[in-house]
Amino acid sequence: MTIAENSMQRPSLTSLTRKAGAVTALALGLLVSGAYAKIDDSARYEPVAPTIDQARANILIARQLQFTHFRNLGISDELSGDVFDAYLNYLDSQRIYLTQEDIDALSRVKKHLGSALKTGQLQPGFDIYNLVQQRVIERLKFALGLIDNGIEQLDFTADDRIRVDRSEAPWEANQAALDELWTKRIKNAVLAQRLNGADDDAIEETLRRRYEGQLKRAYQARSEDAFQAYMNAFTGMWDPHTSYFSPRTSENFNINMSLSLEGIGAVLQSDNEYTKVVRLVPGGPASKQGQLQPADRIVSVAQGDEKPVNVIGWRLDEVVDLIRGPRNSTVTLEVIPANASDETITRTIAIKRDEVKLEEQSASKDVIELDRNGETYRIGVINIPTFYADFQAMQAGDPNYKSTTRDVRKLIEELKASGVDGVVMDLRNNGGGALHEANDLVGLFIDEGPTVQIRNANNDVQVLEDEDPSVVYDGPLVVLVNRMSASASEIFAGAIQDYGRGLVVGSQTFGKGTVQAVRPLNHGQLKITQSKFYRVSGGSTQHKGVIPDIEIPSRIDKTRIGEDALDHALPWDQIEAVPHARYFDFTGVIDELRNRHEERFATNPEFKLLQKEIEFLNRQRQMDYVSLNVDERKNQHNQIEQTRLTIANARRELKGEEPFEDLEALEDWQDQQAADLDNTDEELDFVIQEGGHIMADLLELDQRMASILMPTQFAAKTEAP
């Protein structure tokens, strides 16, 4: 059946969406005639309108979501309300453009959006988008007006404050209240830059450039911008990994998947008006440089020594184009760090562009020696940045093609030949990759058996198995994970844990336990979740991830990074376990292992420093408001900076380096580090050392681990891991 035929068979739905469009138009008529209708007419916003291709793509997306997505979710009035809220959250997440008056008027179409989206009637969504763009323009002009009046006119003596995160704040009642809010926003930005040493002329130039850039982007809004925003609010109802790619975004997605262009090696996504770092590509320039972090938001981009270009409000594809460039050239990013207390705090990071090479993502090994009670333990460490495979070389029949499993097999043989007492597998920050490599890697450590279960929307379950009875390594094993360990990493860690083949150490993993497929549309592509991963013990890796046997705290904010931090994430559940071997029962030694670990960390200066950093970061994250009184803000700023200096000096002392005399010395050193484009810290960190100590504890507590007992089949339990 064609799209046109299907549309003609649903006249009632079409008439309903016409009604929705009429209500939206009425709402817009009421709103635009308000107090801010009289604005500078030197430039005009041209409302965007949907195209026929977009309407057809919308119908295809609605069908795919209803009939092929893993989550069985119908398009109902309730869903309409959720789409409405998500769409407004996408367009105005901090509630700084729209008023409660706007929301009340727009709410008249709230329950009609679902029916409209079924049949490609996009006008209601476009009307909302156009209104928000008009409000954005009004707000930016208001901000520029304040700056033109002179920031010296602003009062910083009053006992005033501003809310840091407004995502759950009530909408301001009217435009007068928004004026007051935006005055506070300007004051906050000015105060933050003054405290960082900028003079008023430089501050005015920075803010004017920022808001003029955003204003220019608002006037350049395109139909595709509205369509992509609206479709992603819609698709996000099913789960956060289902999304629409416009034709241009599809091109960038395909380029990223093939890693064929040179850049910085970072996966980016739109985060309302910002571009956010999702993850770093292992072996890429940003990963090696070490300063850019997941959840950082990009404010500006500079080429070489040129002036930075503010990219707030830019489309993702345009930011990507700006960051890309020829090999060995330098791009400088101004970012709001993930742990910043508010959006006025930024840092500058210079990265030398390069090609992301497969060999730089390869597994590598090291050996650490631990002297304990007069005995020396040699521990092999294998770092796996990603699960990779050179598919082209494989298809070409190259007998020496690279893959995670082949490389790790070789590294294990080398470690065994060197006489190591145990192996630590480091999967921290490993975001996944090739599924079959995770399956094959488990096979290096077990005789044979299932490794992961995959269930589709029809409840059909496929079991991936290691069919090779040979075992490459049968000695004691520790697997290190953290919050950035995801997908294939979680499959491997979960299987090792379920088989009792080794201990998992670190922090709770990401919880990415779903599988997506990219499907072509007549206009762009749809990335849709089609199945879900389950461990051999029956529990899903989705949402919950893998819980370590021994936990090590992390600086990463779990409330902002991880599957359970995402809206509409698919829940954890379980299915039947599949029979699998159990190599070792750790229940007899796990309490003693944890006690030894805690005693060791209680006196470990690096762990104490980590705890101090985490406490400091948590205090920053928990700040709901910042003061706009200059004296109070200075005190707060000085306390934060002094804590930074104390932590930095403590770390230098641990390394045997001279402490910084003052904050200026610390900042000079940080500038030097940022300028050192090839700076990497290859030092083995204390978490790896602790993994080695846990291994030594295992060997001391149970000599059976030196030569693993042969596995015995058992009836696996079906409770959560």
Side-chain angles (χ1 to χ4, degrees), residues 46-220:
E46 295 294 334
V48 296
T51 67
I52 293 175
D53 282 344
Q54 289 168 348
R56 290 173 176 166
N58 172 203
I59 294 171
L60 289 174
I61 289 169
R63 287 180 182 170
Q64 296 264 24
L65 292 173
Q66 291 181 93
F67 302 119
T68 65
H69 194 281
F70 185 87
R71 172 176 263 160
N72 182 17
L73 185 65
I75 300 178
S76 62
D77 289 346
E78 182 181 356
L79 183 81
S80 297
D82 291 339
V83 172
F84 177 83
D85 293 339
Y87 190 36
L88 289 182
N89 182 60
Y90 181 88
L91 297 174
D92 188 11
S93 66
Q94 289 296 303
R95 305 190 174 192
I96 57 176
Y97 300 122
L98 297 175
T99 66
Q100 187 61 53
E101 292 175 351
D102 294 333
I103 301 303
D104 291 342
L106 290 176
S107 292
R108 302 179 190 186
V109 301
K110 189 171 184 176
K111 67 180 180 180
H112 301 298
L113 293 185
S115 299
L117 284 163
K118 275 186 177 180
T119 53
Q121 302 299 313
L122 295 169
Q123 195 59 51
F126 274 67
D127 288 341
I128 293 171
Y129 182 88
N130 286 324
L131 173 66
V132 174
Q133 289 302 107
Q134 290 170 7
R135 292 294 185 252
V136 169
I137 290 168
E138 293 166 10
R139 286 295 105 210
L140 294 174
K141 287 187 174 183
F142 178 84
L144 287 167
L146 282 178
I147 295 168
D148 289 341
N149 288 337
I151 59 176
E152 69 278 359
Q153 305 295 323
L154 299 171
D155 178 19
F156 294 98
T157 62
D159 184 16
D160 210 353
R161 61 180 189 165
I162 186 171
R163 187 166 179 162
V164 173
D165 180 7
R166 288 185 46 80
S167 60
E168 296 183 6
W171 300 95
E172 296 294 345
N174 49 43
Q175 297 200 20
L178 267 189
D179 288 349
E180 183 179 349
L181 171 63
W182 271 80
T183 301
K184 288 183 178 182
R185 285 172 57 82
I186 298 297
K187 287 171 68 175
N188 186 39
V190 170
L191 195 50
Q193 292 191 47
R194 280 181 179 173
L195 290 174
N196 285 329
D199 60 42
D200 282 3
D201 289 342
I203 294 172
E204 285 191 10
E205 180 185 356
T206 298
L207 294 179
R208 185 175 288 109
R209 188 168 64 241
R210 174 187 301 178
Y211 293 127
E212 285 177 347
Q214 289 178 245
L215 187 60
K216 181 180 179 181
R217 306 310 301 175
Y219 280 124
Q220 293 175 345

Side-chain angles (χ1 to χ4, degrees), residues 414-484:
E414 293 171 0
L415 289 172
K416 284 164 59 178
S418 70
V420 296
D421 297 303
V423 171
V424 173
M425 302 284 285
D426 190 357
L427 296 182
R428 291 173 302 163
N429 303 318
N430 183 321
L435 173 60
H436 75 271
E437 286 299 319
N439 175 69
D440 292 347
L441 189 66
V442 174
L444 300 184
F445 302 94
I446 65 172
D447 288 338
E448 57 186 334
T451 59
V452 65
Q453 304 183 76
I454 306 171
R455 179 167 72 99
N456 65 21
N458 296 324
N459 289 323
D460 296 326
V461 177
Q462 175 190 8
V463 180
L464 297 189
E465 299 200 29
D466 165 44
E467 298 177 352
D468 184 355
S470 65
V471 177
V472 176
Y473 179 71
D474 61 1
L477 182 67
V478 166
V479 180
L480 297 180
V481 296
N482 66 1
R483 190 62 163 178
M484 298 308 298

Side-chain angles (χ1 to χ4, degrees), residues 536-560:
V536 295
S537 57
S540 175
T541 56
Q542 168 63 15
H543 204 276
K544 185 179 290 188
V546 177
I547 307 299
D549 301 298
I550 297 177
E551 186 172 357
I552 296 178
S554 168
R555 299 179 186 87
I556 298 172
D557 183 2
K558 292 203 299 184
T559 66
R560 298 187 62 183

Side-chain angles (χ1 to χ4, degrees), residues 358 387-407 433-438 440:
L358 182 61
F387 286 86
Y388 56 88
D390 188 343
F391 293 107
Q392 289 184 340
M394 186 192 311
Q395 291 170 352
D398 183 350
N400 298 313
Y401 74 87
K402 289 184 67 63
S403 77
T404 300
T405 306
R406 291 165 66 96
D407 291 349
L435 173 60
H436 75 271
E437 286 299 319
D440 292 347

Side-chain angles (χ1 to χ4, degrees), residues 601-617:
F601 265 24
T603 59
N604 186 312
E606 292 189 76
F607 179 64
K608 288 182 177 179
L609 182 57
L610 173 63
Q611 285 182 310
K612 193 170 185 177
E613 281 187 282
I614 292 172
E615 290 169 3
F616 170 65
L617 292 172

